[in-house]
Amino acid sequence: MAMTADKSSETAREFGGAPGAGVIITLSHVLLLYLWIAWRFHDGAIFYPVGISDLGPFFARNWDLIVAHAMPSLSTFALYLGFLVAQGLMAAFLPGLEIRGLPIPSRGGNQLVYRCNAYTAWWLTLAVVALLHFSGIFPLQTIYEQFGALMIAAIVSANAIALAVHIGAKITGNAERMSGNFLYDFFMGAWLNPRIGALDLKMWAEIRVSWLTLFLLTASGAAHQFAEHGSVSVPMIFMVVAHFLYANACMKGEECIPTTWDIFHEKWGWMLIFWNLAGVPFVYCFNSMYIASRPPFELSLPHTIFCFVLLFGAYYVFDTANGQRNHFRMQINGSYVKRKTIPQLPWDTLKNPRYLDTAVGSKLLIDGWWRYVRKPHYTADILMALSWGLICGFENVLPYFYVTFFVIMILHRARRDIARCKKKYGKDWDRYTKEVPHLLIPKVF
Ligand code: NDP
């Protein structure tokens, strides 16, 4: 595959080009460190310099905190990298469903085969973690205690992997759709589907590493609370359930991922690598850590019930909306297999659904949840994110950071997707938006 400099491509302008990439890379690092300091040293509250003259001392103070409390030792790196390698080995060698991806233009239309065994790997990991915890060999709260150092280990590893993949893509001639600007290409990626033998690195990072790390961080918060106070509070149980459901949904839906935009088009660059390895787990777990570090608190019964109803209701729509669309597409291309993964929810597969035919051949679903809005799974995801904030109460605003961040990120993602679909479907997309005029909220937005 030839390396091309394509400065005129549409992608060369995404995210504000090279300056935008530089800003996102910097702010992503700052965000992780800021949230960690807020959680660890400010009781989960916002903190800032008290004036212009405090700017220098502010940075120095916080840098000192990072150096004193979050420097990973060799054993922290061994723990983190050991986890990555274990997940990689399971991905490569456990038996699983073989799914064909979409034809890849840069590989002459060839399709890659994906071995989908994340669900098996997920339950095997949980069993091993439980064994290590209850036997006392590796108490789960160790992860909570080493949070800062593990976060730095993840940040360093993500940057090192992103650089290695970028250089590897150039050396092996696998770089494609390049703009010619190093920073921008490093950010967006060079290599579409890097693999080590049977291990597909992008699938490994996107499905297993992100969500498993997130769940283990949250579970370690619960283990810490139990070790410290002899009980686990209802808000903590809520976060364990919420992150379990999310991680489990990603693992059980793995076979639907190879045909998504992230896998067949987005290159495995800094943006995906950093956010899969470090950003998603260490930012999204803020609420769990916030609850775990406080003396166990309970909210009023109506408040607690509301949070659970919101979480389970939103999860139901999230799971079934993703199921309806993915199963519909899989039934059309003949790859649909009814799996025995749990939970299999009612209405996650539609019988003879209504759809729109398009000139490019793909069919757009306009039935089930998809008859009400064009992104029902995003709406449900936002509501789940809101429930994660509400379960933390109203004492601080930082537990609401995640839902705010998520809304901005998912709207940006929706905008990119709409632009792509308009280009791909042309007039058929206009027909579709007439049929389903609203994006997230029926009859409103
Ligand atoms: P989508 O699931 O929204 O997929 C978009 C693609 O689906 C479109 O490009 C189009 O592709 C196809 N499509 C759009 N409308 C229809 C339709 N009516 N019928 C059939 N196909 C359609 O993409 P995402 O990857 O963004 O989201 C997947 C899930 O992941 C969501 O639940 C989302 O909430 C979640 N997510 C979570 C994140 C997190 O950080 N927690 C981050 C990102 C996503 P085609 O060209 O094939 O027609």
Side-chain angles (χ1 to χ4, degrees):
M1 267 156 288
M3 192 170 77
T4 54
D6 180 11
K7 288 196 178 94
S8 65
S9 75
E10 182 197 4
T11 52
R13 293 188 298 274
E14 281 183 303
F15 296 96
V23 170
I24 295 174
I25 290 175
T26 309
L27 287 184
S28 299
H29 285 85
V30 170
L31 176 64
L32 264 75
L33 297 172
Y34 182 91
L35 288 177
W36 173 71
I37 295 172
W39 163 62
R40 181 84 160 69
F41 301 102
H42 298 270
D43 208 16
I46 288 180
F47 65 101
Y48 41 81
V50 288
I52 302 276
S53 59
D54 186 38
L55 266 178
F58 175 82
F59 283 115
R61 271 196 311 275
N62 288 303
W63 182 250
D64 288 347
L65 288 177
I66 294 164
V67 173
H69 300 279
M71 278 303 116
S73 60
L74 276 180
S75 63
T76 323
F77 270 107
L79 176 63
Y80 183 69
L81 295 176
F83 167 71
L84 295 189
V85 170
Q87 291 307 319
L89 290 173
M90 285 192 268
F93 297 114
L94 284 178
L97 196 65
E98 308 253 303
I99 291 284
R100 275 188 183 282
L102 294 175
I104 301 171
S106 57
R107 288 180 180 251
N110 282 345
Q111 291 168 286
L112 290 174
V113 174
Y114 292 88
R115 181 180 296 179
C116 298
N117 57 21
Y119 191 72
T120 314
W122 157 240
W123 282 99
L124 189 59
T125 306
L126 293 185
V128 171
V129 167
L131 193 73
L132 292 175
H133 175 74
F134 291 111
S135 65
I137 297 172
F138 184 83
L140 200 47
Q141 60 269 30
T142 316
I143 298 177
Y144 174 93
E145 286 150 15
Q146 293 195 24
F147 185 96
L150 280 167
M151 179 185 72
I152 300 287
I155 291 174
V156 172
S157 307
N159 281 296
I161 292 173
L163 195 60
V165 171
H166 191 83
I167 294 168
K170 289 196 164 183
I171 291 174
T172 58
N174 277 295
E176 59 177 276
R177 287 183 277 129
M178 304 293 274
S179 74
N181 179 292
F182 170 76
L183 184 60
Y184 186 75
D185 290 335
F186 174 65
F187 175 76
M188 292 298 285
W191 202 331
L192 181 60
N193 298 112
R195 288 186 162 199
I196 303 174
L199 174 65
D200 187 279
L201 290 168
K202 197 161 42 164
M203 285 284 280
W204 159 82
E206 178 135 338
I207 313 289
R208 294 145 206 263
V209 177
S210 306
W211 305 108
L212 244 165
T213 314
L214 173 66
F215 178 74
L216 292 179
L217 286 169
T218 293
S220 79
H224 162 81
Q225 209 182 51
F226 189 78
E228 195 83 347
H229 304 282
S231 65
V232 180
S233 66
V234 174
M236 191 72 243
I237 292 171
F238 177 95
M239 288 310 302
V240 173
V241 171
H243 287 174
F244 175 85
L245 282 176
Y246 209 103
N248 189 66
C250 296
M251 309 298 165
K252 87 184 169 93
E254 187 193 18
E255 73 274 16
C256 306
I257 311 282
T259 51
T260 64
W261 179 248
D262 277 7
I263 301 299
F264 82 85
H265 182 81
E266 209 86 84
K267 292 177 285 180
W268 205 49
W270 185 92
M271 181 178 68
L272 283 186
I273 297 172
F274 183 88
W275 276 91
N276 283 167
L277 266 65
V280 164
F282 289 91
V283 171
Y284 291 16
C285 75
F286 179 85
N287 295 19
S288 318
M289 296 297 123
Y290 177 87
I291 293 169
S293 61
R294 314 183 141 231
F297 63 87
E298 303 293 348
L299 302 159
S300 72
L301 190 61
H303 185 138
T304 308
I305 291 176
F306 178 78
C307 288
F308 273 101
V309 170
L310 185 62
L311 173 69
F312 289 137
Y315 176 79
Y316 176 73
V317 179
F318 171 78
D319 188 313
T320 50
N322 273 310
Q324 289 174 356
R325 200 267 319 267
N326 294 334
H327 296 158
F328 164 69
R329 281 280 170 97
M330 293 170 91
Q331 277 167 338
I332 287 170
N333 69 25
S335 64
Y336 177 66
V337 186
K338 180 113 183 99
R339 295 192 76 186
K340 294 198 180 78
T341 51
I342 42 173
Q344 292 294 326
L345 297 172
W347 215 41
D348 74 346
T349 310
L350 298 169
K351 273 191 192 136
N352 304 318
R354 286 177 62 230
Y355 59 83
L356 284 183
D357 264 319
T358 67
V360 293
S362 309
K363 298 180 191 319
L364 293 168
L365 183 64
I366 48 167
D367 211 338
W369 295 114
W370 299 81
R371 91 180 89 138
Y372 302 113
V373 281
R374 296 197 301 276
K375 295 281 184 194
H377 51 347
Y378 283 9
T379 308
D381 218 337
I382 291 170
L383 292 177
M384 281 196 287
L386 178 64
S387 76
W388 302 6
L390 289 173
I391 201 66
C392 296
F394 301 111
E395 204 182 308
N396 280 308
V397 292
L398 274 185
Y400 294 88
F401 171 80
Y402 169 65
V403 61
T404 313
F405 166 86
F406 186 76
V407 168
I408 296 168
M409 184 270 288
I410 214 78
L411 284 177
H412 179 261
R413 202 173 160 93
R415 202 165 62 98
R416 284 179 86 202
D417 189 53
I418 290 167
R420 195 181 74 80
C421 288
K422 267 188 183 154
K423 201 170 158 197
K424 175 175 173 184
Y425 291 112
K427 285 204 173 96
D428 291 324
W429 189 255
D430 298 336
R431 267 197 317 129
Y432 174 54
T433 54
K434 262 201 192 116
E435 185 78 33
V436 190
H438 294 101
L439 186 70
L440 295 177
I441 310 172
K443 298 189 172 42
V444 180
F445 174 70

